[in-house]
Amino acid sequence: FRVIDDEVAAEEEARKQITRRDERNRSLARYLQAQTNRLMSELNSAARYVASILPDDLDGRVAVTARYLPSEELGGDSYDFRWVDDDHLVVYLLDVSGHGVEPALLSVSVHNLLRSGTFDSEALLTPDAALTELNRLFQMDRRDGHSFTIWYGVYQASSRTLRYASAGHPPALIQADSVAPERLSSDSMPVGVASRTDVETSTYRVRLGAEMLLYSDGAFELGLAEGAHRTLDELQAAYTHVATSPDWTLDTLITELQDRSGSEACKDDCTFVRLSIP
């Protein structure tokens, strides 16, 4: 009987241990779920803040529209366009390397710096000076290894002149009169990669009725399977096909890219900025 009683007691103790272990596991699961919910809430709040600082569409002498398609993770795309005086429109699109909170914070920092008035008018209206100063301020060894690409342009309405510079960013596409788009790019390295970098400002005479498209590198992956990329020629072909249609919009272009790939998936942040210059 003592043997049987010992076995019963051992089984009862084992059941109690299992019950205590299950309760600890349930408690841990509740804690982890609460932490996950809090983290997701904070990330959603951060994403809403990033979206809130981006400019609304612009009408007037130059019409500017933009579309920001975030990925499932918080990313580092940012853009801006605004008249800094009666004659000069500044437009840029930047893309920070990586995903998560750090790239988003870096993107916001650059955006707020360019909006804050820290740069004087001469630097703000001189693309190579602006990018050189950004490179000095945002070295990647002081930013947890994050660099960023940027396309930066200044349009002068009185002379119909576009002055632009690019740091590792895909070229802008511009076209008019149903002519094949031209690519506006430069060979400078992304901002933050090197302590010193050579940036050159290029000048482009804008024809009447011109359309210009800026985009982040997420456009090369929009709607494609994991690991797949479209070429610049393929992206340009889609843009050319859409831009020759009357009353086209950025939504039309996005649908075109998705239809060509058969999916709406967005593996990376994807941003488009369109300028219509009559």
Side-chain angles (χ1 to χ4, degrees), residues 222-269:
L222 180 63
L224 298 177
E226 185 72 35
H229 294 77
R230 60 175 52 87
T231 65
L232 178 56
D233 287 341
E234 291 170 335
L235 178 63
Q236 181 173 316
Y239 169 62
T240 302
H241 179 260
V242 168
T244 55
S245 303
D247 302 321
W248 73 280
T249 67
L250 288 177
D251 295 327
T252 312
L253 175 60
I254 291 167
T255 299
E256 173 79 8
L257 292 171
Q258 292 171 335
D259 287 346
R260 290 187 178 210
S261 59
S263 172
E264 297 182 2
C266 192
K267 303 298 187 303
D268 190 8
D269 281 13

Side-chain angles (χ1 to χ4, degrees), residues 8-235:
V8 171
E11 291 178 1
E12 182 65 24
E13 181 61 27
R15 283 194 292 270
K16 290 180 179 179
Q17 290 179 1
I18 291 172
T19 300
R20 289 194 294 268
R21 183 193 63 194
D22 289 346
E23 180 57 34
R24 287 195 300 269
N25 289 341
R26 285 192 291 270
S27 178
L28 178 60
R30 288 193 295 268
Y31 172 78
L32 292 176
Q33 185 61 54
Q35 292 296 100
T36 299
N37 292 341
R38 182 179 65 81
L39 178 60
M40 292 305 299
S41 176
E42 291 177 354
L43 289 176
N44 289 335
S45 178
R48 287 193 298 271
Y49 173 71
V50 171
S52 73
I53 67 173
L54 299 176
D56 295 327
D57 291 350
L58 188 66
D59 294 319
R61 287 176 293 173
V62 177
V64 189
T65 58
R67 293 294 181 273
Y68 171 58
L69 306 178
S71 64
E72 295 179 355
E73 300 179 72
L74 195 61
D77 281 11
S78 181
Y79 60 86
D80 198 9
F81 40 82
R82 60 191 177 96
W83 292 95
V84 296
D85 57 34
D86 292 338
D87 199 28
H88 295 91
L89 173 72
V90 169
V91 57
Y92 70 81
L93 172 58
L94 69 90
D95 183 4
V96 181
S97 60
H99 297 91
V101 174
E102 289 181 355
L105 290 177
L106 177 54
S107 179
V108 168
S109 295
V110 177
H111 179 92
N112 288 339
L113 176 70
L114 291 172
R115 275 269 182 174
S116 67
T118 301
F119 286 17
D120 59 32
S121 295
E122 183 179 356
L124 198 63
L125 296 177
T126 309
D128 59 301
L131 298 196
T132 298
E133 182 63 5
L134 289 175
N135 189 73
R136 184 185 71 82
L137 294 171
F138 293 95
Q139 283 294 294
M140 63 186 298
D141 59 358
R142 301 195 299 269
R143 305 287 172 177
D144 292 325
H146 294 291
S147 61
F148 63 88
T149 66
I150 182 171
W151 194 98
Y152 188 102
V154 178
Y155 174 67
Q156 185 176 28
S158 60
S159 64
R160 299 191 65 84
T161 300
L162 175 68
R163 303 172 69 238
Y164 67 91
S166 173
H169 202 82
L173 301 176
I174 188 168
Q175 70 171 21
D177 302 324
S178 300
V179 178
E182 298 178 65
R183 300 176 182 180
L184 306 183
S185 63
S186 62
D187 297 328
S188 299
M189 292 184 293
V191 171
V193 172
S195 59
R196 297 179 63 86
T197 184
D198 294 326
V199 183
E200 292 185 2
T201 292
S202 300
T203 301
Y204 181 84
R205 175 75 176 181
V206 180
R207 300 191 301 275
L208 295 175
E211 294 277 354
M212 188 169 74
L213 181 72
L214 309 180
Y215 50 92
S216 62
D217 63 5
F220 293 100
E221 305 173 21
L222 180 63
L224 298 177
E226 185 72 35
H229 294 77
R230 60 175 52 87
T231 65
L232 178 56
D233 287 341
E234 291 170 335
L235 178 63

